[in-house]
Amino acid sequence: MHADLILVGGGLANTLIAWRLRAEHPGLKLLLLEQGGELGGNHTWCFHGSDLTESQHRWIAPFVAQSWARHRIVFPARDRWIDGSYHAITAERLHATAMTRLKDSVLTGVKATHVGPDQVTLADGRQLSAAAVIDGRGDPGGRHLDVGFQKFLGHVLKLEQPHGLDAPVLMDATVPQEDGFRFIYTLPFDERTVLVEDTRYSDSAGLERDAMRSAIRAYAESRGWGISAVLREEEGALPVVLGGDLAAYWSDGPGVPRSGVRAGLFHYTTGYSLPEAARLADDLAGLNSWRSEPLHALIRKRSFRLWRRGLYFRILNRMLYRGCDPAERYRVLQHFYRLPAPLVNRFYAGRPTWIDRLRILSGKPPIPIGRALASLFGSRGNPMAGLTGENS
């Protein structure tokens, strides 16, 4: 079987690429391969309105399941509402929407056992070929990157009574601080349906699932929410980059173009990948030819460009993970949220100004300054690596 372009992995990044390419180049023969039964797996992706351009908002709108005009953050010493739109894409909505345009191009329930620049071998022995293959199967393992994790386990709950929320609570850090900076994240989908996630900025990716499930139930009980049913469980571990060798990271493998987290295209502090996925989809939709070698070079260049811009975020991440004890990490975020809403939005969009950067580091330090400075240099993963030479 031959195609013009094969996308391996039916997650967010490859689905958005396929959606944009089909819209702008309807004659392009695409194949989107997904190991599971549906695109998107079992996940919820969120983004701030300021993360995307007006054009990107327009084409991504069909995927958006819910939007809100503001959100709340809660810490032991800070309780604040922040204005600015916030949006959620559920896996169910991603799959249903994508299939309206891509149905004839999607193969689900297929596992790729070999992925090369211009061919894919499936577990059932079939071989597929194309002018180019893009591998979007998540993080290959981070052997060359120094990372912490934002990990989570969440339940979509159907409640016996209305929950009373009219907007998301992105961080409720009044819960016990365990396994790093810990908070509860809530998204209200309708008056009796809410996603509740137990989230930790942790040194390890491992999930204590039973304990986290119990914590979700305990949080619901503390809010007076009777649970009628658990509609869905989701989990994940998003990378938080502290440093590393991006050139070595990209040298792993046979030169296959990548997308999403596998390409290093995500916010280095939050691990969120949707804005970068939208930008890459726009880049590829603007091309008139899709061949493996130039695609690899284009995406790799974008990854290195983000790495250079991400130096400031890696420095902040090292302070968060190395500059204080895990149970004290919440103080760093509590301190951050003293800042004006426009600055907060620019930070999450990955575009803080130089004045923003100075303001983030100003004021009374929430952690010991000596330990914070010492955190910038360690035995592995200098955050300033990769800023000169081929990466410039």
Side-chain angles (χ1 to χ4, degrees):
M1 184 182 297
H2 183 80
D4 297 316
L5 178 65
I6 298 174
L7 301 162
V8 183
L12 177 72
N14 276 355
T15 300
L16 295 186
I17 289 169
W19 179 264
R20 289 289 285 134
L21 287 175
R22 178 55 55 84
E24 299 299 323
H25 305 276
L28 188 70
K29 186 175 180 181
L30 294 169
L31 275 179
L32 177 56
L33 311 179
E34 166 54 32
Q35 181 175 341
E38 294 188 345
L39 301 175
N42 192 16
H43 199 64
T44 301
W45 299 270
C46 291
F47 62 99
H48 297 271
S50 55
D51 291 346
L52 303 181
T53 66
E54 290 185 10
S55 172
Q56 288 164 348
H57 273 288
R58 284 194 296 271
W59 69 255
I60 213 167
F63 295 103
V64 175
Q66 193 80 21
S67 297
W68 303 270
R70 61 177 186 162
H71 65 271
R72 185 184 179 193
I73 58 96
V74 186
F75 286 84
R78 196 175 306 279
D79 187 340
R80 180 182 177 191
W81 287 95
I82 298 178
D83 291 332
S85 65
Y86 192 71
H87 312 271
I89 294 175
T90 61
E92 297 91 341
R93 181 67 170 258
L94 183 82
H95 177 82
T97 300
M99 293 302 282
T100 64
R101 182 179 288 177
L102 302 172
K103 186 174 182 179
D104 60 337
S105 301
V106 175
L107 292 179
T108 58
V110 294
K111 180 179 180 180
T113 55
H114 172 77
V115 178
D118 56 7
Q119 60 182 343
V120 177
T121 302
L122 303 181
D124 61 10
R126 281 182 291 172
Q127 293 194 341
L128 313 176
S129 63
V133 174
I134 296 179
D135 191 350
R137 293 177 296 169
D139 182 8
R143 290 180 295 277
H144 303 290
L145 300 182
D146 184 11
V147 298
F149 298 92
Q150 182 193 171
K151 63 186 183 183
F152 58 88
L153 185 142
H155 283 171
V156 177
L157 303 176
K158 176 61 72 173
L159 303 179
E160 296 171 351
Q161 301 293 335
H163 46 64
L165 300 174
D166 63 0
V169 180
L170 298 196
M171 293 181 182
D172 182 347
T174 61
V175 295
Q177 294 300 296
E178 303 168 356
D179 195 15
F181 168 45
R182 176 175 176 252
F183 59 91
I184 301 294
Y185 173 88
T186 55
L187 292 181
F189 288 112
D190 61 40
E191 67 174 10
R192 292 179 54 208
T193 307
V194 60
L195 169 62
V196 181
E197 285 187 353
D198 187 345
T199 306
R200 294 106 184 271
Y201 272 69
S202 174
D203 296 310
S204 70
L207 296 171
E208 297 179 7
R209 292 177 178 84
D210 289 341
M212 296 173 86
R213 291 168 185 141
S214 296
I216 290 170
R217 183 168 292 276
Y219 185 80
E221 291 174 355
S222 75
R223 298 295 303 266
W225 298 341
I227 299 173
S228 170
V230 177
L231 303 181
R232 179 165 58 84
E233 180 176 277
E234 62 181 56
E235 64 179 55
L238 307 178
V240 178
V241 180
L242 285 69
D245 186 342
L246 190 66
Y249 180 85
W250 268 91
S251 295
D252 277 354
V256 180
R258 305 177 184 180
S259 65
V261 174
R262 198 174 188 92
L265 296 175
F266 54 89
H267 193 296
Y268 288 160
T269 296
T270 67
Y272 283 10
S273 60
L274 188 145
E276 289 298 331
R279 291 166 195 148
L280 179 59
D282 275 346
D283 278 358
L284 300 190
L287 301 177
N288 292 313
S289 174
W290 298 269
R291 292 182 297 109
S292 183
E293 187 173 343
L295 276 183
H296 183 272
L298 182 151
I299 298 170
R300 186 178 185 276
K301 183 177 181 179
R302 170 174 277 283
S303 180
F304 278 109
R305 190 161 63 242
L306 180 63
W307 183 265
R308 292 193 300 274
R309 294 204 320 268
L311 171 62
Y312 180 77
F313 295 95
R314 296 195 296 277
I315 289 173
L316 293 182
N317 295 344
R318 290 188 80 87
M319 290 182 176
L320 178 65
Y321 276 80
R322 306 282 190 258
C324 61
D325 294 332
E328 298 298 310
R329 287 175 187 164
Y330 80 94
R331 297 184 185 277
V332 177
L333 279 298
Q334 182 173 262
H335 185 69
F336 170 77
Y337 274 106
R338 79 195 188 282
L339 297 165
L343 187 159
V344 172
N345 289 333
R346 288 191 294 271
F347 179 87
Y348 282 114
R351 297 190 295 268
T353 67
W354 283 106
I355 294 176
D356 292 342
R357 298 174 191 214
L358 292 173
R359 291 193 68 181
I360 290 170
L361 294 173
S362 68
K364 183 179 179 181
I367 58 176
I369 188 65
R371 186 169 173 182
L373 292 174
S375 72
L376 300 184
F377 305 98
S379 60
R380 178 177 181 233
N382 186 330
M384 300 182 203
L387 300 180
T388 59
E390 70 166 310
N391 307 338
S392 59

